[in-house]
Amino acid sequence: MILKRLKSLLLIGLCYASTTSMAQDKSDWQNGVPEGCTTITVGKTATFDGSVITSHTDDSHRTRAWMSVVPSKSHDKNSKFELFERSAYDSLRMPTYQHKKIGEIDQVSQTYQFLNTAYPCINEKQLAIGESTFGGREELYSEACLIDCQRLQQLMLERCTTAREAIKMADELLQKYGWRDFGECLTIADKQEVWHFEVVGPGKGKVGAVWVAQRVPDHHLSVNANASTIKEIDLKNSDYFMASENIFDLAKENGWYNPEEETFRWNYAYAPKSRRSMASRRREWRVLSMVAPSLDLDPTAKDFPFSVKPDEKISMDKLVEIFKDYYEGTPFNFVKNIKQADKDGKEAISPFANPFMPYGMNRLFGVNGGWGELGERTIARWYTMYATIIQCRSWMPDDVGGIVWLAQDNVATSIYIPVYAGATDLAPSYKVKARHLGYTRTSAWWAFNRLSTLTAQRWGDMRHDVDKVFVPLQKQYFEEQAKVDEEYLSLCKRKRRAFLTHRSIDLGTEVVEKAWEIGDGLWTNYDEKF
């Protein structure tokens, strides 16, 4: 009787575990394709000033809008680092994610300060990370694993100082605890170099990971736009390639690679479906073509170079231009056919036509835009939560050398402010849990979200009102950085972090006030016109 009861309880427990376990969330996917974030990386001799650059647009309908600075900490020997899995959560004012604890690992004795954006992005040692999901083969996902993308980025920033160290640590942790996520590309930069680290799971029921990393040449620029881009690899050239020990064997075991018939290509072995997405490939083409038009790349090509040498040195202005892009002036402009006659009877694109229409409007106007597997999508997106362009500058002390240029919401109507690696706080409005609360004037994200939504209603006219304010102000912020560096170096060490923190807070406060002001002006100036 007792044995029978134990068997019954065990069966109930197994059923409960089965029904409550969560596969990694796909709420931000469409048609089985992840088409969220874009990241661009630039080597140190390809930039205007010698900085190494990584970046990220957090294109999501659910990730959090708030952010904070997590200070460096000392931990006792029994401390643990908690691991979570995220899933869609719709019980708050707006769609968001919940994070449920699934395990823990030993904590280290000392962790570094880092900027805690939804995808943690920089630490106090100028280690910086961008991110883009590419999906990979479904059968590689394993619920036996514990570490997901956001937690791995945090672990890298808390524990490492260089990109190579971060990749080595990731290999060690993932072998032991496993990758509990779909295919991700992390673009990891330090003061000297930047790497693309692509990782997938080990297969159902297994613990571990399969990964590959390729360094962007110092004189090159690279991009990841939700599709795997690493192809042929040469592990004998350790200055440019690294990989997990199982990279070839697992592909051969599953019939994804036959060494007797073909050259190994990582992306076609482990993420072939990602190369089918036009939404990804068009972004790759656009980024590479904007920096190297001399290459005359084919916009319909299936594959592009992993990286290219820009025709000119890459400036911050150029990167802002790229991230604001929506194919205007190309045959792929979404709204090129939404026209109306002007006062002289000449047809022109309607001022109401905008590249940031919600999906229902795309269908209304017959626009092949959005998240369809074969549909177009622009670099700038209306559902961006925040965006970063991160400079790692070897010639400056870490606190001021690492700069996260941070924008809120749609980059096309936003502005980047500097948040320094050594800054210890952010403007209060950046820390508000906006999606939890719903619309609130206390939130930086809502200020820019409202502005973006308003501007899209009469895009042909309103965008110029926004640009009149933000374009010169953005130029001012970039130009002022040299003076900030100089003033920082003139201060005694105990005052330096406070100086950087105040600047980040002051500029954050300034741009949020501007966003509310511009938005209020649009309501007034365009009354009855949209």
Side-chain angles (χ1 to χ4, degrees):
M1 183 71 178
I2 295 176
L3 181 60
K4 186 175 182 180
R5 185 177 180 184
L6 285 173
K7 286 182 177 179
S8 177
L9 289 172
L10 178 59
L11 179 60
I12 292 171
L14 288 172
C15 291
Y16 178 79
S18 176
T19 56
T20 58
S21 64
M22 300 179 294
Q24 185 63 27
D25 188 84
K26 287 187 177 181
S27 299
D28 277 331
W29 294 35
Q30 289 290 326
N31 292 346
V33 178
E35 290 175 8
C37 311
T38 304
T39 178
I40 299 170
T41 53
V42 196
K44 61 183 179 181
T45 62
T47 60
F48 72 105
D49 64 351
S51 57
V52 180
I53 291 176
T54 187
S55 58
H56 176 220
T57 59
D58 182 25
D59 302 336
S60 168
H61 297 279
R62 289 182 178 272
T63 53
R64 60 180 168 87
W66 63 269
M67 49 199 66
S68 63
V69 177
V70 176
S72 59
K73 297 178 182 178
S74 298
H75 305 273
D76 63 47
K77 63 180 181 179
N78 296 318
S79 294
K80 300 293 182 180
F81 180 95
E82 295 183 330
L83 298 165
F84 298 85
E85 184 170 60
R86 75 181 192 184
S87 60
Y89 190 66
D90 296 319
S91 296
L92 299 174
R93 293 297 302 276
M94 299 180 72
T96 185
Y97 285 114
Q98 62 181 343
H99 296 260
K100 292 188 176 180
K101 183 177 176 180
I102 57 173
E104 58 187 25
I105 63 176
D106 291 338
Q107 183 59 282
V108 294
S109 61
Q110 185 69 39
T111 52
Y112 297 118
Q113 173 181 297
F114 68 96
L115 180 56
N116 186 29
T117 41
Y119 290 83
C121 63
I122 196 171
N123 71 9
E124 61 185 305
K125 299 297 182 180
Q126 296 197 62
L127 180 65
I129 308 176
E131 176 271 344
S132 185
T133 306
F134 62 80
R137 295 184 182 273
E138 293 276 341
E139 58 265 45
L140 291 172
Y141 179 82
S142 174
E143 291 188 353
C145 298
L146 290 176
I147 300 176
D148 74 348
C149 179
Q150 290 163 306
R151 257 53 65 169
L152 182 61
Q153 289 186 225
Q154 181 177 339
L155 286 162
M156 287 176 169
L157 295 177
E158 284 189 336
R159 301 181 179 196
C160 303
T161 61
T162 69
R164 292 175 190 252
E165 182 186 358
I167 293 169
K168 180 180 178 181
M169 183 208 72
D171 183 47
E172 294 171 353
L173 290 180
L174 294 180
Q175 283 188 46
K176 186 174 183 180
Y177 300 105
W179 177 250
R180 192 187 179 101
D181 217 326
F182 293 107
E184 289 279 356
C185 175
L186 304 186
T187 53
I188 311 169
D190 58 34
K191 292 173 282 189
Q192 299 298 329
E193 56 189 10
V194 57
W195 289 75
H196 286 215
F197 172 82
E198 296 193 5
V199 57
V200 295
K204 185 177 180 180
K206 298 179 181 178
V207 175
V210 192
W211 62 267
V212 67
Q214 183 170 353
R215 181 164 76 89
V216 179
D218 291 343
H219 60 300
H220 275 211
L221 173 147
S222 187
V223 57
N224 190 287
N226 303 125
S228 175
T229 61
I230 297 178
K231 306 175 188 67
E232 297 84 3
I233 62 175
D234 179 8
L235 296 182
K236 294 179 181 178
N237 185 357
S238 59
D239 196 34
Y240 281 90
F241 296 97
M242 292 184 274
S244 57
E245 291 185 357
N246 59 351
I247 187 170
F248 299 119
D249 291 341
L250 189 61
K252 287 187 288 186
E253 288 172 12
N254 286 278
W256 303 330
Y257 161 56
N258 185 338
E260 297 179 0
E261 298 179 359
E262 59 190 327
T263 300
F264 178 82
R265 291 185 296 172
W266 159 268
N267 55 356
Y268 284 102
Y270 287 100
K273 189 176 180 180
S274 72
R275 299 308 313 164
R276 290 164 48 192
S277 173
M278 186 60 73
S280 295
R281 283 153 42 195
R282 195 77 81 200
R283 275 180 287 161
E284 292 173 2
W285 166 79
R286 186 59 169 160
V287 172
L288 299 179
S289 295
M290 288 181 75
V291 301
S294 62
L295 295 178
D296 194 24
L297 296 173
D298 180 358
T300 64
K302 191 175 182 180
D303 286 294
F304 298 99
F306 169 74
S307 63
V308 301
K309 181 181 179 181
D311 290 352
E312 298 178 354
K313 297 284 189 179
I314 300 298
S315 66
M316 291 299 300
D317 290 332
K318 187 64 177 179
L319 289 171
V320 171
E321 176 191 351
I322 293 171
F323 278 116
K324 290 177 70 170
D325 187 77
Y326 51 88
Y327 307 150
E328 187 174 29
T330 78
F332 314 109
N333 183 3
F334 287 8
V335 297
K336 63 181 181 295
N337 294 323
I338 304 178
K339 297 181 178 180
Q340 68 182 55
D342 61 19
K343 62 181 180 179
D344 299 319
K346 183 179 180 181
E347 274 205 336
I349 295 177
S350 169
F352 295 102
N354 78 83
F356 306 116
M357 295 184 291
Y359 305 133
M361 286 186 69
N362 285 334
R363 291 191 292 271
L364 176 65
F365 289 104
V367 174
N368 185 29
W371 280 12
E373 183 177 1
L374 300 178
E376 302 276 10
R377 65 145 282 185
T378 54
I379 299 170
R381 294 301 280 160
W382 55 269
Y383 49 79
T384 298
M385 288 290 180
Y386 68 92
T388 61
I389 304 173
I390 308 177
Q391 290 182 276
C392 302
R393 305 184 299 161
S394 62
W395 64 96
M396 294 297 295
D398 289 335
D399 281 353
V400 70
I403 309 175
V404 178
W405 293 96
L406 175 66
Q408 293 278 354
D409 203 69
N410 185 351
V411 176
T413 48
S414 193
I415 182 171
Y416 292 86
I417 64 161
V419 176
Y420 300 93
T424 58
D425 203 358
L426 301 172
S429 61
Y430 283 70
K431 297 182 286 185
V432 173
K433 295 185 177 181
R435 297 185 68 82
H436 291 202
L437 299 172
Y439 181 77
T440 170
R441 300 277 300 203
T442 65
S443 162
W445 181 77
W446 270 116
F448 285 96
N449 180 275
R450 184 191 76 144
L451 178 59
S452 170
T453 303
L454 279 174
T455 307
Q457 306 313 302
R458 195 180 176 100
W459 179 255
D461 295 325
M462 290 184 179
R463 61 170 167 153
H464 300 298
D465 296 279
V466 177
D467 285 347
K468 283 178 184 176
V469 179
F470 282 158
V471 169
L473 190 59
Q474 186 72 84
K475 182 178 178 63
Q476 175 187 323
Y477 290 168
F478 289 152
E479 291 178 346
E480 285 176 346
Q481 188 53 47
K483 293 182 179 178
V484 172
D485 292 344
E486 185 178 342
E487 186 169 354
Y488 170 89
L489 293 173
S490 72
L491 297 172
C492 63
K493 289 187 176 181
R494 64 182 178 85
K495 293 183 178 181
R496 287 178 170 179
R497 282 201 165 186
F499 166 70
L500 297 176
T501 303
H502 287 313
R503 177 164 175 80
S504 294
I505 290 175
D506 290 346
L507 296 193
T509 301
E510 180 177 44
V511 298
V512 170
E513 290 175 353
K514 293 284 186 185
W516 287 120
E517 181 182 320
I518 298 168
D520 290 346
L522 294 179
W523 276 118
T524 302
N525 299 334
Y526 289 92
D527 182 47
E528 299 185 0
K529 296 178 182 178
F530 68 96

